[in-house]
Amino acid sequence: MECRVLSIQSHVVRGYVGNKSATFPLQVLGFEVDSINSVQFSNHTGYAHWKGQVLTAEELNVLYEGIKLNKVNHYDYILTGYSRDTSFLEMVVDIIQELKKANPSLVYVCDPVMGDHGAMYVPENLLPVYKNKVVPLADILTPNQFEAELLTGKKINTEKDGVEVMDLLHKMGPDTVVLTSTDLPSKNGDQFLVALGSQKIDGTNSSQKICIDIPKVDAVFVGTGDLFAAMLLAWTHHHPNDLKTACEKTVSVMHHVIKRTITHARELAGPGNRPSPAQLELRMVQSKADIENPATVVEAKVLHK
């Protein structure tokens, strides 16, 4: 069966964030991807300079109308990432509602990009839209710790808090929740980041909960969150009732891409120099084989409630 994804995210001419980060890996794994670019920038905003255009809610609607008029608005998945405008986000909500009506088994994967490390980098008036309109429509949600805390109003200081926050997010709508990064201490030491996941088990009130230690790399990468959400979409499709395997494969893809990227960036920068944003662009094309068939580098542990 052909699987088609509508991905509404940012686009850069040079480098990998948003749709540029999600489309190629999804295509490599056999998905047809229709992209709507919420912004079109020369490069990501971590560079010294960037130029470009922002798509308005009205322009988004015009694009969707064109798809609808040709009766090709049938999707198996919708994927959304960064949005910085309430009217745009509300238009996305309208489109998702319409597409879910057309195909009740459609799966919506939402990365609720709002901020990190205690600071919001989108306007605060997006939070109620995410909380009241977007998250209730989502089937798979991939917030970081800060975003999960914003959405639930509950702080995460322990693994138990993390589990409770994921249960609160389930109550808001999504059947699958992955906290892509937390500040929780790893049992493997401070060279690891802890991610948590929870998937409701069909026809029951229980869920499979997992914890995964992700090796840290000392550099700032852009586009990794977008890659994570896309890979989670792909691997949960291939392993629908096995969040443990889906997360292991997702994190393993990330690991291979990041490792290849940092090795290359350090070679370009030369000994003792910190790589530039341009040198740290993800080595996506070079990682094609790892995306298709990732060697597993991490094992998720199943948490018992």
Side-chain angles (χ1 to χ4, degrees):
M1 266 297 285
E2 186 172 283
C3 223
R4 193 169 284 272
V5 181
L6 176 63
S7 181
I8 305 175
Q9 298 195 60
S10 50
H11 169 81
V12 287
V13 176
R14 169 66 186 255
Y16 292 94
V17 297
N19 274 330
K20 281 284 288 286
S21 214
T23 303
F24 173 73
L26 282 169
Q27 287 171 327
V28 161
L29 287 166
F31 294 82
E32 286 286 355
V33 184
D34 293 0
S35 306
I36 293 180
N37 299 325
S38 54
V39 303
Q40 170 158 275
F41 287 165
S42 52
N43 44 269
H44 72 68
T45 56
Y47 284 73
H49 310 281
W50 48 276
K51 299 276 185 193
Q53 300 82 34
V54 176
L55 196 73
T56 65
E58 191 40 50
E59 289 163 338
L60 167 63
N61 193 39
V62 167
L63 288 173
Y64 175 66
E65 280 299 312
I67 292 167
K68 203 162 91 177
L69 286 167
N70 289 309
K71 297 186 170 53
V72 287
N73 58 333
H74 181 94
Y75 290 98
D76 304 287
Y77 286 90
I78 295 177
L79 176 62
T80 65
Y82 179 77
S83 178
R84 61 162 303 109
D85 177 282
T86 50
S87 59
F88 188 89
L89 194 54
E90 288 182 331
M91 182 61 71
V92 170
V93 167
D94 291 346
I95 290 170
I96 293 166
Q97 284 172 326
E98 193 166 302
L99 291 174
K100 280 199 164 203
K101 238 178 233 144
N103 175 19
S105 62
L106 180 145
V107 174
Y108 171 32
V109 181
C110 170
D111 186 7
V113 182
M114 288 183 283
D116 206 353
H117 304 301
M120 285 185 81
Y121 39 60
V122 299
E124 285 184 13
N125 59 1
L126 262 77
L127 178 57
V129 183
Y130 271 112
K131 225 177 184 163
N132 304 324
K133 297 183 176 179
V134 180
V135 175
L137 282 175
D139 300 285
I140 298 175
L141 192 71
T142 62
N144 58 33
Q145 174 173 333
F146 176 62
E147 290 156 349
E149 290 173 342
L150 280 178
L151 289 167
T152 59
K154 181 177 167 60
K155 284 265 179 257
I156 298 172
N157 298 309
T158 63
E159 191 178 89
K160 186 171 170 290
D161 294 337
V163 166
E164 284 169 14
V165 162
M166 291 191 292
D167 283 337
L168 288 171
L169 289 167
H170 282 317
K171 286 196 178 92
M172 290 167 75
D175 284 344
T176 301
V177 175
V178 177
L179 307 186
T180 56
S181 63
T182 69
D183 300 327
L184 296 173
S186 164
K187 294 178 178 66
N188 294 327
D190 58 7
Q191 292 310 299
F192 289 83
L193 263 181
V194 174
L196 297 172
S198 177
Q199 185 174 50
K200 283 166 87 170
I201 297 162
D202 281 353
T204 70
N205 287 326
S206 59
S207 54
Q208 183 193 37
K209 299 269 192 309
I210 61 150
C211 169
I212 196 159
D213 290 295
I214 304 173
K216 276 186 193 171
V217 177
D218 179 29
V220 176
F221 300 95
V222 179
T224 47
D226 309 319
L227 176 61
F228 189 101
M231 290 299 86
L232 191 65
L233 181 162
W235 293 116
T236 50
H237 176 79
H238 291 302
H239 305 278
N241 302 310
D242 185 359
L243 185 63
K244 181 181 185 295
T245 301
C247 282
E248 286 170 351
K249 290 198 172 181
T250 297
V251 171
S252 295
V253 169
M254 305 290 297
H255 176 79
H256 295 304
V257 172
I258 286 170
K259 212 168 165 198
R260 184 172 281 106
T261 302
I262 192 70
T263 304
H264 179 71
R266 283 174 181 154
E267 277 168 16
L268 290 178
N273 298 321
R274 277 192 93 71
S276 68
Q279 290 164 338
L280 285 167
E281 289 286 9
L282 297 178
R283 301 288 283 168
M284 201 75 84
V285 173
Q286 297 78 3
S287 302
K288 178 177 172 287
D290 289 319
I291 293 166
E292 279 183 292
N293 188 18
T296 305
V297 293
V298 289
E299 192 178 343
K301 122 176 153 267
V302 176
L303 304 173
H304 296 288
K305 282 186 75 174

